[in-house]
């Protein structure tokens, strides 16, 4: 995390070079382009212990189920959250048995949860407010977890007064809250590829995605902590952009998104680099993947690593390794994708849909297993950043 001038970091998306998304893997017929990025398919096959053919089938099934989910709202069928289970089946939360029957008739699995996403969001919002009043140092993260139908809180240490007060308030919600202890401290990570490295004022960070406003002006969307002081950004020792806004502020409740205006004559590519694992992957859109969906990221430090989406609406407490105040960041996504310091701003992709930007992860995490390194990380959802800044993603 770029918290002081003493901490160098790099982002992870193609600066002028390559911002990308994940395309697919299997060539369908000889001479035709693959549906999915090949490395994602291999990584998914390895992690599931299945053939690459079965992995492609799973991606196809996920895409089909997500399309049916999108069609529910158009049909007037409400859904209170949805998630993929370990078998790749999408389950939709329904308000009651009648709604569940409609969901099943639409070809999807349904359940009537004890709480559901709306109620869990309400509980988490109250915890967010509490955390703003007093940062709960030692409480690593808290999130809405649809699979367990709880607000899940991960704790590094509950010895501090603020942490004890936070957990005591959380426990008042009974079984709606699940507390997991023994977690590592979290720090935001910054160190640039869908691409290359981005530098500023002696620091390094990663480039995220290219986007444009209604007038066609070009912007870089990246992790907010990477552009905290609104610096001039350089690629290969030459200026290419100037940061214009960030929602990250050390020691304050923050959102880890920021933007920079791209200088005339420069551009960010619409494909994500895979660090030698395959050809760059074209960005086709930014439709948010459901929890449990396959996910890969491109980053300066750890390259191309893959896993799956865990949860959305996650809040974390980031620790400043340089002794500064802790910072609560809200609105993140969590994943099983391994990252390390210097990956901040890196591009997350599911299928060929851009998902987000690396925000942070556990302090001592090491991604030594290549593409399939086991680990965890947090990312700023791209669709939220695009919406907030009124931008449209540049697609291939």
């Amino acid at each position: 995390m770029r918290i002081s001038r003493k901490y160098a970091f790099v982002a992870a998306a193609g600066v002028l070079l390559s911002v990308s998304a994940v395309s697919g893997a299997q060539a369908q017929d000889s001479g035709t382009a693959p549906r999915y990025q090949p490395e994602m398919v291999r990584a998914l096959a390895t992690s599931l212990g299945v053939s690459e053919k079965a992995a492609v089938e799973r991606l196809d099934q996920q895409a089909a189920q997500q399309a049916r989910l999108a069609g529910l709202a158009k049909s007037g069928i409400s859904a209170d959250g949805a998630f993929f289970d370990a078998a790749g089946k999408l389950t939709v939360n329904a308000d009651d048995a009648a709604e569940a029957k409609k969901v099943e008739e639409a070809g999807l699995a349904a359940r009537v949860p004890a709480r559901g996403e709306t109620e869990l969001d309400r509980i988490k919002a109250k915890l967010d407010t509490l955390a703003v009043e007093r940062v709960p140092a030692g409480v690593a993260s808290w999130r809405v977890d649809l699979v367990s139908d709880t607000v899940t809180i991960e704790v590094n240490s509950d010895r501090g007064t603020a942490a004890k007060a936070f957990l005591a308030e959380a426990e008042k919600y009974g079984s709606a809250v699940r507390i997991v202890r023994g977690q590592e401290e979290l720090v935001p990570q910054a160190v640039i590829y869908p691409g290359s490295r981005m530098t500023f004022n002696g620091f390094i960070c990663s480039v995220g995605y290219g986007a444009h406003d209604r007038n066609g002006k070009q912007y870089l969307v990246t992790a907010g902590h990477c552009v905290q002081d609104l610096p001039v950004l350089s690629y290969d020792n030459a200026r290419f952009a100037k940061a214009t806004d960030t929602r990250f502020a050390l020691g304050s409740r923050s959102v880890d998104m920021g933007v920079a205006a791209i200088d005339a004559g420069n551009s960010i590519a619409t494909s994500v680099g895979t660090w030698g694992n395959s050809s760059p992957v074209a960005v086709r859109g930014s439709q948010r993947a459901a929890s449990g969906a396959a996910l890969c990221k491109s980053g300066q430090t750890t390259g191309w690593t893959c896993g799956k989406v865990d949860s959305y609406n996650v809040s974390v407490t980031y620790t400043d390794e340089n002794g500064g105040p802790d910072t609560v960041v809200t609105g993140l996504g969590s994943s099983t994708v391994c990252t390390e310091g210097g990956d901040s701003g890196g591009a997350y992709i599911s299928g060929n849909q851009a998902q987000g930007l690396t925000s942070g992860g556990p302090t001592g995490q090491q991604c030594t297993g290549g593409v399939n390194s086991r680990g965890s990380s947090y990312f700023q959802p791209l669709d939220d950043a695009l919406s907030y800044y009124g931008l449209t993603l540049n697609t291939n």
Side-chain angles (χ1 to χ4, degrees):
M1 166 178 196
R2 179 179 173 278
I3 293 184
S4 80
R5 300 293 177 178
K6 298 179 181 178
Y7 191 84
F9 52 99
V10 180
V15 149
L16 309 167
L17 269 159
S18 69
V19 180
S20 22
V22 166
S23 133
Q26 172 197 55
Q28 301 167 24
D29 297 310
S30 178
T32 63
R35 290 197 301 280
Y36 306 107
Q37 196 278 326
E39 188 53 36
M40 172 179 274
V41 171
R42 288 194 291 272
L44 181 61
T46 299
S47 64
L48 295 176
V50 300
S51 67
E52 291 187 20
K53 181 174 183 288
V56 169
E57 291 173 350
R58 181 165 181 140
L59 288 171
D60 285 343
Q61 290 165 2
Q62 286 186 352
Q65 290 175 90
Q66 294 222 171
R68 286 197 291 273
L69 177 63
L72 290 179
K74 296 178 181 179
S75 302
I77 302 172
S78 62
D80 196 18
F83 59 91
F84 285 105
D85 63 17
K89 181 175 69 175
L90 188 66
T91 298
V92 178
N93 283 339
D95 292 333
D96 51 40
E99 286 295 308
K101 183 178 180 181
K102 293 178 182 178
V103 171
E104 291 169 348
E105 289 173 346
L108 295 171
R111 72 172 185 182
V112 180
R115 287 163 287 272
E117 187 171 33
T118 301
E119 175 64 13
L120 296 176
D121 281 344
R122 183 186 65 80
I123 294 172
K124 183 182 168 292
K126 292 186 176 181
L127 295 179
D128 285 345
T129 299
L130 184 64
V132 171
E133 297 171 355
R134 290 185 72 185
V135 175
V139 179
S141 72
W142 53 105
R143 68 180 186 273
V144 169
D145 184 66
L146 293 180
V147 177
S148 64
D149 195 33
T150 66
V151 173
T152 298
I153 301 174
E154 296 183 330
V155 182
N156 170 257
S157 171
D158 57 5
R159 289 175 293 183
T161 302
K164 288 180 179 178
F166 182 89
L167 294 174
E169 187 65 27
E171 288 171 346
K172 293 180 181 180
Y173 294 101
S175 61
V177 170
R178 180 169 62 107
I179 298 175
V180 182
R181 289 180 165 80
Q183 303 301 301
E184 293 187 75
E185 289 184 336
L186 302 176
V187 293
Q189 298 164 329
V191 175
I192 184 177
Y193 209 86
S196 310
R197 121 191 334 220
M198 172 174 79
T199 59
F200 47 98
N201 301 335
F203 297 93
I204 308 171
C205 213
S206 293
V207 178
Y209 287 96
H212 60 276
D213 65 16
R214 71 172 89 183
N215 298 315
K217 184 173 178 57
Q218 295 294 315
Y219 290 88
L220 163 70
V221 185
T222 188
H225 71 266
C226 289
V227 292
Q228 184 180 346
D229 298 328
L230 306 184
V232 168
L233 307 176
S234 296
Y235 166 69
D236 198 18
N237 297 318
R239 168 177 167 153
F240 77 93
K242 171 67 169 66
T244 58
D245 189 79
T246 179
R247 297 182 68 190
F248 181 90
L250 183 64
S252 302
R253 176 177 174 177
S254 296
V255 178
D256 203 8
M257 63 174 70
V259 292
I262 302 296
D263 294 342
N266 294 301
S267 63
I268 297 175
T270 54
S271 15
V272 176
T274 62
W275 296 88
N277 288 291
S278 72
S279 299
V281 184
V283 179
R284 302 300 188 194
S286 56
Q287 180 181 11
R288 181 177 292 201
S291 298
L295 185 72
C296 291
K297 83 100 197 38
S298 179
Q300 167 74 20
T301 306
T302 58
W304 189 245
T305 55
C306 299
K308 66 177 183 178
V309 178
D310 189 357
S311 299
Y312 291 104
N313 193 11
V314 181
S315 295
V316 305
T317 303
Y318 279 147
T319 300
D320 179 10
E321 294 183 305
N322 298 299
D326 292 343
T327 304
V328 170
V329 177
T330 61
L332 298 177
S334 61
S335 77
T336 62
V337 175
C338 194
T339 59
E340 294 180 20
D343 281 330
S344 280
Y348 284 71
I349 302 161
S350 180
N352 56 16
Q353 299 296 305
Q355 296 299 312
L357 315 156
T358 301
S359 176
T363 51
Q365 183 162 268
Q366 294 184 326
C367 308
T368 57
V371 172
N372 297 302
S373 296
R374 294 182 179 277
S376 63
S377 60
Y378 299 87
F379 63 94
Q380 167 60 52
L382 181 62
D383 55 354
D384 285 346
L386 294 173
S387 176
Y388 180 82
Y389 288 114
L391 300 175
T392 300
L393 178 67
N394 294 337
T395 57
N396 191 308

